[in-house]
Amino acid sequence: MPYYITYGEFQYHLQDYFKRTGSRMQFPEMTDYLFRKGMMSPTPPPELPTNKMFGDLTDEEFDKAVNSFVLALTPYQSVSSDVPEHDIIPLSRDVYIIRHPRYTRPYKHTHNYFEINFVASGECDLAFENEQRVLKAGELCIIAPSSKHDVIINDDESVVFTIMIRKSTFNTTFFSLMSQKNLLSHFFRTILQGDAHSNYLLFYSDDIHWLKIIVRNAMAECYKQDTFSNSNAINWIHLFFSHLLRDYSKTVQFYNYQLGTDFSLILQYIQHNYQTLTLASLAEFFHYSEPHLSTLIKQNTGCGFTALIKQLRMADATSFLINTKMKISEIAECVGYNSADHFSRIFRSEYQMSPQEYRKKHQSAEDLFQPMAQVN
């Protein structure tokens, strides 16, 4: 049987308990404590209306709205290091967002859903496997399923939003964002789908205001009870991901306990210099041996160096063919081939047609659209 308390009251008691005793509790422990003290109600208290957009509220107004949200909690739930999505994400929801509670007891855990922690103000501590780091305002960490981690807030002012997304929802609804023909999107897709290793992606955004607007509106949808709210929350988070990929891909970092370095820097260097890059020059630049670097590339992208370079060249070549009027020789030079003939041979082996045929096939549909043409 669930018992009810507002989010603001629950946060107050977490903070009060810490300041009185110097000790902290995990969320289920505080739930049991409040139940034993008779501080939760068998009937839900009234909430402030959520049938409006929350993006234009001031910080104070939004905090007041969040504090009015009602939590339905079940006492006597054990603290577990393995948290299944059905214990956290409501049954009717694909996306669920909370303002991360402050002063919780550190306890590393794993779960089978994706978790995104966005630091809107202040900072928080991230414990991830054997790594400890501080996330500052504007940083955003996407944690892959089955990764042992914890997020701790140690003050009254910091605000961290935690976005939880079912893995099935991510794969079906948000995965289209990862299908772009660039190296970081490919890498993003690969590590978030992989089950073998713990991993996270870390972005930095200098546009906190815009991300706060998106997250606040998505969060408001999570607490509405109508037929539109779930799909609206998904759409807000879709916009959230699109914004990150379009504007902040170059800030991405990732965790991999096998590497001991920020491999995303190598990936970015390859993407920006693939036209003239060799494995030898790449190894020299990053102070690796060629065999070791070749192994790292294979482990983290799923293909070898030569295949990766060809993928990047072909991706840009097809874009030039469809979106520009550049000559084939000019495209060949732009993507790193010494001659148009060599480029054409490689292109034909990849797409079973010449560059000219590819351009004609993919531009024909656009050429038929003539919005100003006279109608007879």
Side-chain angles (χ1 to χ4, degrees):
M1 174 182 174
Y3 286 79
Y4 301 92
I5 190 170
T6 64
Y7 190 89
E9 291 176 300
F10 193 94
Q11 178 62 76
Y12 168 78
H13 289 297
L14 272 174
Q15 175 182 324
D16 179 67
Y17 185 83
F18 170 72
K19 293 188 174 179
R20 285 189 295 104
T21 68
S23 299
R24 302 168 185 250
M25 289 189 183
Q26 276 283 306
F27 208 92
E29 295 169 332
M30 178 54 68
T31 299
D32 289 349
Y33 174 82
L34 295 175
F35 177 73
R36 292 194 304 269
K37 294 288 187 179
M39 296 180 181
M40 294 196 296
S41 170
T43 58
E47 298 182 73
L48 290 177
T50 57
N51 59 338
K52 61 179 181 179
M53 305 289 276
F54 276 21
D56 59 350
L57 298 181
T58 66
D59 290 346
E60 293 75 19
E61 290 170 336
F62 184 73
D63 282 343
K64 182 179 179 180
V66 171
N67 287 338
S68 75
F69 293 164
V70 175
L71 299 173
L73 305 175
T74 303
Y76 306 121
Q77 298 289 314
S78 60
V79 177
S80 173
S81 61
D82 185 12
V83 183
E85 64 180 26
H86 59 72
D87 280 359
I88 300 295
I89 303 175
L91 184 62
S92 60
R93 300 289 171 177
D94 290 284
V95 173
Y96 190 58
I97 305 173
I98 63 171
R99 187 185 66 198
H100 198 288
R102 306 177 179 104
Y103 301 109
T104 53
R105 179 169 61 82
Y107 189 73
K108 287 182 184 176
H109 58 280
T110 62
H111 42 63
N112 60 346
Y113 53 87
F114 287 96
E115 175 179 309
I116 306 171
N117 292 290
F118 167 51
V119 185
S121 64
E123 62 183 38
C124 67
D125 294 332
L126 171 66
F128 192 95
E129 298 293 334
N130 297 319
E131 177 183 287
Q132 302 282 335
R133 68 183 302 156
V134 177
L135 300 182
K136 302 285 189 178
E139 289 189 294
L140 180 145
C141 188
I142 304 175
I143 298 174
S146 304
S147 301
K148 185 176 291 185
H149 69 282
D150 197 15
V151 172
I152 300 296
I153 305 175
N154 297 310
D155 63 76
D156 298 340
E157 304 301 325
S158 296
V159 176
V160 179
F161 294 109
T162 299
I163 304 167
M164 293 159 282
I165 305 173
R166 296 183 189 275
K167 188 174 182 180
S168 58
T169 302
F170 192 98
N171 286 338
T172 57
T173 304
F174 301 119
F175 192 73
S176 62
L177 292 170
M178 309 309 146
S179 62
Q180 301 176 42
K181 294 181 179 181
N182 64 70
L183 189 58
L184 285 178
S185 290
H186 170 75
F187 181 64
F188 193 56
R189 177 173 68 250
T190 301
I191 68 170
L192 287 180
Q193 279 196 309
D195 296 322
H197 304 298
S198 298
N199 240 317
Y200 64 63
L201 285 177
L202 183 65
F203 290 85
Y204 173 73
S205 168
D206 56 7
D207 190 3
I208 297 177
H209 177 70
W210 175 230
L211 289 178
K212 279 167 61 174
I213 288 175
I214 298 174
V215 173
R216 286 177 174 183
N217 283 319
M219 184 175 181
E221 295 293 344
C222 293
Y223 293 88
K224 295 177 183 178
Q225 303 297 326
D226 58 49
T227 56
F228 303 101
S229 57
N230 187 57
S231 61
N232 285 351
I234 290 173
N235 289 333
W236 279 112
I237 299 304
H238 204 285
L239 179 63
F240 181 84
F241 276 120
S242 298
H243 184 61
L244 284 180
L245 287 172
R246 182 175 64 187
D247 294 339
Y248 298 105
S249 289
K250 292 183 180 180
T251 72
V252 70
Q253 300 177 43
F254 78 101
Y255 170 91
N256 189 316
Y257 64 87
Q258 295 180 329
L259 294 181
T261 186
D262 184 358
F263 192 77
S264 65
L265 295 176
I266 298 176
L267 295 179
Q268 290 180 41
Y269 188 84
I270 294 172
Q271 188 170 15
H272 294 155
N273 299 277
Y274 73 83
Q275 294 89 344
T276 59
L277 198 62
T278 65
L279 183 62
S281 63
L282 182 65
E284 180 180 3
F285 186 86
F286 284 99
H287 307 290
Y288 282 110
S289 70
E290 289 184 44
H292 182 55
L293 182 58
S294 181
T295 299
L296 293 181
I297 292 171
K298 179 70 173 178
Q299 287 177 343
N300 288 278
T301 69
C303 60
F305 175 79
T306 301
L308 192 60
I309 294 298
K310 185 171 78 169
Q311 286 180 17
L312 292 170
R313 287 176 170 175
M314 292 298 105
D316 276 355
T318 55
S319 178
F320 287 139
L321 288 168
I322 295 172
N323 299 308
T324 76
K325 300 297 183 181
M326 292 170 62
K327 296 178 181 179
I328 303 302
S329 59
E330 293 173 336
I331 293 175
E333 183 178 356
C334 282
V335 300
Y337 289 101
N338 293 327
S339 73
D341 288 343
H342 184 207
F343 165 65
S344 295
R345 285 195 298 271
I346 298 296
F347 192 94
R348 183 180 288 278
S349 69
E350 186 72 14
Y351 295 101
Q352 289 72 56
M353 65 182 76
S354 70
Q356 294 92 334
E357 291 168 334
Y358 187 95
R359 169 176 274 170
K360 183 177 180 180
K361 178 180 178 180
H362 289 83
Q363 284 189 336
S364 59
E366 294 182 10
D367 292 342
L368 292 174
F369 179 58
Q370 299 179 17
M372 300 305 292
Q374 183 176 355
V375 178
N376 296 323

mmCIF file of all heavy atoms in Angstrom, residues 23-47:
data_model
loop_
_atom_site.group_PDB
_atom_site.id
_atom_site.type_symbol
_atom_site.label_atom_id
_atom_site.label_comp_id
_atom_site.label_asym_id
_atom_site.label_seq_id
_atom_site.Cartn_x
_atom_site.Cartn_y
_atom_site.Cartn_z
ATOM 1 N N SER A 23 24.304 12.007 10.042
ATOM 2 C CA SER A 23 24.192 10.780 9.249
ATOM 3 C C SER A 23 23.237 11.003 8.077
ATOM 4 O O SER A 23 22.419 11.916 8.082
ATOM 5 C CB SER A 23 23.679 9.627 10.119
ATOM 6 O OG SER A 23 24.569 9.372 11.184
ATOM 7 N N ARG A 24 23.339 10.126 7.112
ATOM 8 C CA ARG A 24 22.498 10.217 5.925
ATOM 9 C C ARG A 24 21.721 8.921 5.751
ATOM 10 O O ARG A 24 22.095 7.875 6.268
ATOM 11 C CB ARG A 24 23.351 10.464 4.670
ATOM 12 C CG ARG A 24 24.204 11.721 4.728
ATOM 13 C CD ARG A 24 25.214 11.704 3.588
ATOM 14 N NE ARG A 24 26.141 12.822 3.644
ATOM 15 C CZ ARG A 24 26.134 13.841 2.781
ATOM 16 N NH1 ARG A 24 25.237 13.879 1.811
ATOM 17 N NH2 ARG A 24 27.000 14.816 2.883
ATOM 18 N N MET A 25 20.657 9.020 4.975
ATOM 19 C CA MET A 25 19.858 7.841 4.650
ATOM 20 C C MET A 25 19.684 7.727 3.140
ATOM 21 O O MET A 25 19.633 8.733 2.438
ATOM 22 C CB MET A 25 18.470 7.930 5.292
ATOM 23 C CG MET A 25 18.430 7.755 6.792
ATOM 24 S SD MET A 25 16.709 7.634 7.347
ATOM 25 C CE MET A 25 16.960 7.518 9.123
ATOM 26 N N GLN A 26 19.564 6.495 2.691
ATOM 27 C CA GLN A 26 19.128 6.257 1.331
ATOM 28 C C GLN A 26 17.618 6.501 1.243
ATOM 29 O O GLN A 26 16.912 6.550 2.261
ATOM 30 C CB GLN A 26 19.446 4.816 0.914
ATOM 31 C CG GLN A 26 20.871 4.633 0.407
ATOM 32 C CD GLN A 26 21.052 5.157 -1.004
ATOM 33 O OE1 GLN A 26 20.329 4.777 -1.918
ATOM 34 N NE2 GLN A 26 22.020 6.040 -1.178
ATOM 35 N N PHE A 27 17.110 6.657 0.036
ATOM 36 C CA PHE A 27 15.694 6.977 -0.168
ATOM 37 C C PHE A 27 14.766 5.968 0.520
ATOM 38 O O PHE A 27 13.851 6.366 1.249
ATOM 39 C CB PHE A 27 15.401 7.039 -1.672
ATOM 40 C CG PHE A 27 14.270 7.955 -2.028
ATOM 41 C CD1 PHE A 27 14.488 9.284 -2.351
ATOM 42 C CD2 PHE A 27 12.964 7.490 -2.038
ATOM 43 C CE1 PHE A 27 13.444 10.137 -2.677
ATOM 44 C CE2 PHE A 27 11.910 8.330 -2.369
ATOM 45 C CZ PHE A 27 12.149 9.659 -2.687
ATOM 46 N N PRO A 28 14.958 4.635 0.352
ATOM 47 C CA PRO A 28 14.069 3.690 1.038
ATOM 48 C C PRO A 28 14.181 3.765 2.559
ATOM 49 O O PRO A 28 13.185 3.554 3.265
ATOM 50 C CB PRO A 28 14.536 2.325 0.517
ATOM 51 C CG PRO A 28 15.233 2.609 -0.769
ATOM 52 C CD PRO A 28 15.889 3.943 -0.572
ATOM 53 N N GLU A 29 15.378 4.072 3.061
ATOM 54 C CA GLU A 29 15.547 4.182 4.513
ATOM 55 C C GLU A 29 14.778 5.371 5.071
ATOM 56 O O GLU A 29 14.136 5.274 6.132
ATOM 57 C CB GLU A 29 17.041 4.310 4.844
ATOM 58 C CG GLU A 29 17.850 3.072 4.487
ATOM 59 C CD GLU A 29 19.342 3.297 4.554
ATOM 60 O OE1 GLU A 29 19.799 4.449 4.360
ATOM 61 O OE2 GLU A 29 20.074 2.321 4.796
ATOM 62 N N MET A 30 14.805 6.493 4.374
ATOM 63 C CA MET A 30 14.044 7.658 4.830
ATOM 64 C C MET A 30 12.548 7.390 4.727
ATOM 65 O O MET A 30 11.759 7.837 5.569
ATOM 66 C CB MET A 30 14.442 8.880 4.004
ATOM 67 C CG MET A 30 13.670 10.161 4.352
ATOM 68 S SD MET A 30 13.708 10.629 6.130
ATOM 69 C CE MET A 30 15.436 11.085 6.350
ATOM 70 N N THR A 31 12.130 6.654 3.695
ATOM 71 C CA THR A 31 10.714 6.289 3.569
ATOM 72 C C THR A 31 10.263 5.504 4.789
ATOM 73 O O THR A 31 9.195 5.792 5.380
ATOM 74 C CB THR A 31 10.491 5.454 2.292
ATOM 75 O OG1 THR A 31 10.861 6.230 1.149
ATOM 76 C CG2 THR A 31 9.037 5.023 2.165
ATOM 77 N N ASP A 32 11.028 4.507 5.208
ATOM 78 C CA ASP A 32 10.677 3.718 6.399
ATOM 79 C C ASP A 32 10.667 4.586 7.653
ATOM 80 O O ASP A 32 9.787 4.465 8.508
ATOM 81 C CB ASP A 32 11.672 2.575 6.587
ATOM 82 C CG ASP A 32 11.506 1.484 5.546
ATOM 83 O OD1 ASP A 32 10.492 1.512 4.820
ATOM 84 O OD2 ASP A 32 12.391 0.612 5.452
ATOM 85 N N TYR A 33 11.659 5.474 7.759
ATOM 86 C CA TYR A 33 11.753 6.362 8.915
ATOM 87 C C TYR A 33 10.507 7.243 9.016
ATOM 88 O O TYR A 33 9.904 7.366 10.102
ATOM 89 C CB TYR A 33 13.013 7.219 8.791
ATOM 90 C CG TYR A 33 13.168 8.291 9.835
ATOM 91 C CD1 TYR A 33 13.679 7.999 11.092
ATOM 92 C CD2 TYR A 33 12.813 9.612 9.556
ATOM 93 C CE1 TYR A 33 13.830 8.994 12.051
ATOM 94 C CE2 TYR A 33 12.956 10.611 10.497
ATOM 95 C CZ TYR A 33 13.466 10.296 11.747
ATOM 96 O OH TYR A 33 13.601 11.286 12.694
ATOM 97 N N LEU A 34 10.105 7.855 7.907
ATOM 98 C CA LEU A 34 8.936 8.724 7.923
ATOM 99 C C LEU A 34 7.651 7.936 8.192
ATOM 100 O O LEU A 34 6.740 8.423 8.870
ATOM 101 C CB LEU A 34 8.828 9.476 6.586
ATOM 102 C CG LEU A 34 9.958 10.460 6.274
ATOM 103 C CD1 LEU A 34 9.790 11.046 4.875
ATOM 104 C CD2 LEU A 34 10.014 11.573 7.313
ATOM 105 N N PHE A 35 7.569 6.716 7.686
ATOM 106 C CA PHE A 35 6.386 5.878 7.934
ATOM 107 C C PHE A 35 6.282 5.539 9.422
ATOM 108 O O PHE A 35 5.188 5.633 10.020
ATOM 109 C CB PHE A 35 6.480 4.602 7.099
ATOM 110 C CG PHE A 35 5.357 3.643 7.344
ATOM 111 C CD1 PHE A 35 4.077 3.908 6.852
ATOM 112 C CD2 PHE A 35 5.565 2.478 8.083
ATOM 113 C CE1 PHE A 35 3.033 3.024 7.090
ATOM 114 C CE2 PHE A 35 4.533 1.597 8.315
ATOM 115 C CZ PHE A 35 3.257 1.872 7.817
ATOM 116 N N ARG A 36 7.401 5.154 10.012
ATOM 117 C CA ARG A 36 7.375 4.814 11.449
ATOM 118 C C ARG A 36 7.031 6.016 12.309
ATOM 119 O O ARG A 36 6.411 5.884 13.367
ATOM 120 C CB ARG A 36 8.734 4.242 11.870
ATOM 121 C CG ARG A 36 9.048 2.870 11.271
ATOM 122 C CD ARG A 36 10.218 2.218 11.983
ATOM 123 N NE ARG A 36 11.412 3.063 11.983
ATOM 124 C CZ ARG A 36 12.343 3.017 11.045
ATOM 125 N NH1 ARG A 36 12.208 2.181 10.012
ATOM 126 N NH2 ARG A 36 13.401 3.801 11.118
ATOM 127 N N LYS A 37 7.436 7.206 11.865
ATOM 128 C CA LYS A 37 7.149 8.429 12.625
ATOM 129 C C LYS A 37 5.748 8.974 12.339
ATOM 130 O O LYS A 37 5.353 9.998 12.916
ATOM 131 C CB LYS A 37 8.181 9.508 12.270
ATOM 132 C CG LYS A 37 9.603 9.181 12.705
ATOM 133 C CD LYS A 37 9.776 9.275 14.211
ATOM 134 C CE LYS A 37 11.216 9.109 14.630
ATOM 135 N NZ LYS A 37 11.407 9.215 16.094
ATOM 136 N N GLY A 38 5.011 8.321 11.455
ATOM 137 C CA GLY A 38 3.658 8.789 11.137
ATOM 138 C C GLY A 38 3.631 10.071 10.338
ATOM 139 O O GLY A 38 2.668 10.844 10.435
ATOM 140 N N MET A 39 4.654 10.304 9.515
ATOM 141 C CA MET A 39 4.768 11.560 8.778
ATOM 142 C C MET A 39 4.286 11.455 7.337
ATOM 143 O O MET A 39 4.409 12.420 6.574
ATOM 144 C CB MET A 39 6.225 12.057 8.803
ATOM 145 C CG MET A 39 6.720 12.412 10.177
ATOM 146 S SD MET A 39 8.436 12.985 10.147
ATOM 147 C CE MET A 39 8.719 13.276 11.900
ATOM 148 N N MET A 40 3.754 10.295 6.945
ATOM 149 C CA MET A 40 3.184 10.143 5.615
ATOM 150 C C MET A 40 1.697 9.847 5.736
ATOM 151 O O MET A 40 1.233 9.329 6.749
ATOM 152 C CB MET A 40 3.897 9.028 4.839
ATOM 153 C CG MET A 40 5.343 9.362 4.537
ATOM 154 S SD MET A 40 6.082 8.304 3.244
ATOM 155 C CE MET A 40 6.030 6.719 4.048
ATOM 156 N N SER A 41 0.979 10.185 4.695
ATOM 157 C CA SER A 41 -0.483 10.070 4.725
ATOM 158 C C SER A 41 -0.948 8.918 3.836
ATOM 159 O O SER A 41 -0.373 8.682 2.771
ATOM 160 C CB SER A 41 -1.112 11.379 4.232
ATOM 161 O OG SER A 41 -2.500 11.226 4.036
ATOM 162 N N PRO A 42 -2.014 8.202 4.272
ATOM 163 C CA PRO A 42 -2.569 7.155 3.404
ATOM 164 C C PRO A 42 -3.350 7.711 2.218
ATOM 165 O O PRO A 42 -3.701 6.967 1.298
ATOM 166 C CB PRO A 42 -3.487 6.366 4.341
ATOM 167 C CG PRO A 42 -3.852 7.348 5.406
ATOM 168 C CD PRO A 42 -2.670 8.242 5.589
ATOM 169 N N THR A 43 -3.617 9.006 2.231
ATOM 170 C CA THR A 43 -4.306 9.656 1.110
ATOM 171 C C THR A 43 -3.422 10.769 0.562
ATOM 172 O O THR A 43 -2.727 11.456 1.325
ATOM 173 C CB THR A 43 -5.652 10.251 1.545
ATOM 174 O OG1 THR A 43 -5.429 11.193 2.616
ATOM 175 C CG2 THR A 43 -6.589 9.157 2.023
ATOM 176 N N PRO A 44 -3.422 10.979 -0.740
ATOM 177 C CA PRO A 44 -2.520 11.990 -1.317
ATOM 178 C C PRO A 44 -2.956 13.402 -0.956
ATOM 179 O O PRO A 44 -4.142 13.720 -0.984
ATOM 180 C CB PRO A 44 -2.625 11.743 -2.823
ATOM 181 C CG PRO A 44 -3.922 11.034 -3.019
ATOM 182 C CD PRO A 44 -4.164 10.232 -1.779
ATOM 183 N N PRO A 45 -1.996 14.277 -0.626
ATOM 184 C CA PRO A 45 -2.313 15.682 -0.373
ATOM 185 C C PRO A 45 -2.560 16.405 -1.688
ATOM 186 O O PRO A 45 -2.196 15.913 -2.754
ATOM 187 C CB PRO A 45 -1.047 16.210 0.312
ATOM 188 C CG PRO A 45 0.054 15.338 -0.209
ATOM 189 C CD PRO A 45 -0.559 13.987 -0.430
ATOM 190 N N PRO A 46 -3.182 17.568 -1.660
ATOM 191 C CA PRO A 46 -3.416 18.320 -2.895
ATOM 192 C C PRO A 46 -2.106 18.825 -3.482
ATOM 193 O O PRO A 46 -1.184 19.189 -2.765
ATOM 194 C CB PRO A 46 -4.308 19.484 -2.449
ATOM 195 C CG PRO A 46 -4.022 19.633 -0.979
ATOM 196 C CD PRO A 46 -3.738 18.264 -0.471
ATOM 197 N N GLU A 47 -2.046 18.843 -4.800
ATOM 198 C CA GLU A 47 -0.869 19.352 -5.503
ATOM 199 C C GLU A 47 -1.200 20.681 -6.161
ATOM 200 O O GLU A 47 -2.365 20.981 -6.434
ATOM 201 C CB GLU A 47 -0.429 18.372 -6.591
ATOM 202 C CG GLU A 47 -0.002 17.013 -6.094
ATOM 203 C CD GLU A 47 0.451 16.134 -7.241
ATOM 204 O OE1 GLU A 47 1.551 16.384 -7.786
ATOM 205 O OE2 GLU A 47 -0.289 15.207 -7.599
#
